[in-house]
């Protein structure tokens, strides 16, 4: 049977220890039972001093429980960040209650998906920069050598050419060509 002192002690350990603390077995169920057993109808006008003390102790118990869960959530969030960055997620995992483990796993997966999407976005952006672009020459251009040393051209006015983006950008900036596939 859980007591007020037990709840206080569990919070104290969680508060002053860096790692996530192992909760007593069936802690949440026992806390629920504690609350239900100590809940009394306090709406009567004649409240005895002992009832007043019990009411205050019950309110404090609820407050302690909320603070305990908040501290555990903060620690779990830190563990999620570590797991998402390093891929290691075993630290303190065994000290989580089932619902915390489930939330932890979902959040780690969500962070991993976010990282994958971000990587895709960055990868596609780089590919677009390195990709070839279709240009239409507005005036003739003599043969030249590209950055790899290969000869390119000559190109005539009105000729449509698929070429390296960086080279195409030079022609477009000089006004000698326009991008065809731009909106």
């Amino acid at each position: 049977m859980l007591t007020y002192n037990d709840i206080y002690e569990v919070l104290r350990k969680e508060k002053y220890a860096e790692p996530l603390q192992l909760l007593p077995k069936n802690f949440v169920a026992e806390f629920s039972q504690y609350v239900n057993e100590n809940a009394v109808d306090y709406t009567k006008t004649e409240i005895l001093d002992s009832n007043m003390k019990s009411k205050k102790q019950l309110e404090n118990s609820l407050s302690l429980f909320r603070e305990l869960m908040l501290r555990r959530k903060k620690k779990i969030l830190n563990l999620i960040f570590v797991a998402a960055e390093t891929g290691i997620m075993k630290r303190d995992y065994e000290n989580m209650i089932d619902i915390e483990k489930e939330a932890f796993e979902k959040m780690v997966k969500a962070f991993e998906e976010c990282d994958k999407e971000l990587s895709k976005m960055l990868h596609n952006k780089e590919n677009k920069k390195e990709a070839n672009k279709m240009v239409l020459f507005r005036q003739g251009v003599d043969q030249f050598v590209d950055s790899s040393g290969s000869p390119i051209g000559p190109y005539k006015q009105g000729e449509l050419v698929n070429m390296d983006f960086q080279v195409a950008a030079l022609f477009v900036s000089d006004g000698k060509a326009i991008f065809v596939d731009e909106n």
Side-chain angles (χ1 to χ4, degrees), residues 137-141 155-159:
F137 280 91
R138 300 168 100 184
Q139 54 183 292
V141 175
Y155 299 113
K156 298 178 183 166
Q157 181 180 353
E159 191 171 352

Side-chain angles (χ1 to χ4, degrees), residues 40-182:
V40 178
D41 185 12
Y42 294 110
T43 59
K44 296 179 182 176
T45 53
E46 297 177 16
I47 298 178
L48 302 173
D49 287 338
S50 63
N51 280 350
M52 197 61 144
K53 181 180 177 186
S54 296
K55 179 183 178 187
K56 190 63 177 167
Q57 194 172 41
L58 179 62
E59 289 172 353
N60 288 343
S61 299
L62 293 169
S63 178
L64 291 174
F65 184 79
R66 280 192 291 273
E67 184 177 351
L68 172 68
M69 291 297 115
L70 180 64
R71 288 186 181 278
R72 291 182 66 82
K73 286 177 186 176
K74 286 180 182 178
K75 289 181 180 182
I76 290 170
L77 282 174
N78 285 333
L79 293 173
I80 290 167
F81 288 130
V82 169
E85 291 300 314
T86 64
I88 301 170
M89 39 189 237
K90 295 296 178 194
R91 183 175 173 240
D92 295 341
Y93 188 78
E94 63 276 354
N95 291 347
M96 294 179 198
I97 58 178
D98 290 338
I99 196 164
E100 291 171 335
K101 287 178 182 178
E102 187 178 320
F104 176 82
E105 290 169 357
K106 287 179 182 177
M107 293 296 289
V108 168
K109 285 180 185 176
F111 274 75
E112 288 172 351
E113 287 297 317
C114 180
D115 287 345
K116 285 179 187 176
E117 289 300 315
L118 183 60
S119 178
K120 283 181 186 177
M121 291 171 63
L122 291 173
H123 184 69
N124 287 340
K125 192 166 224 171
E126 289 176 1
N127 284 347
K128 286 181 182 177
K129 286 182 182 177
E130 297 174 357
N132 289 349
K133 287 287 190 171
M134 189 68 74
V135 293
L136 176 65
F137 280 91
R138 300 168 100 184
Q139 54 183 292
V141 175
D142 295 332
Q143 185 177 12
F144 62 95
V145 179
D146 69 356
S147 59
S148 65
S150 303
I152 298 178
Y155 299 113
K156 298 178 183 166
Q157 181 180 353
E159 191 171 352
L160 193 60
V161 180
N162 188 12
M163 63 174 38
D164 179 74
F165 173 78
Q166 291 177 335
V167 175
L170 290 173
F171 287 122
V172 170
S173 67
D174 286 343
K176 294 181 179 181
I178 58 170
F179 287 117
V180 174
D181 56 348
E182 285 194 351

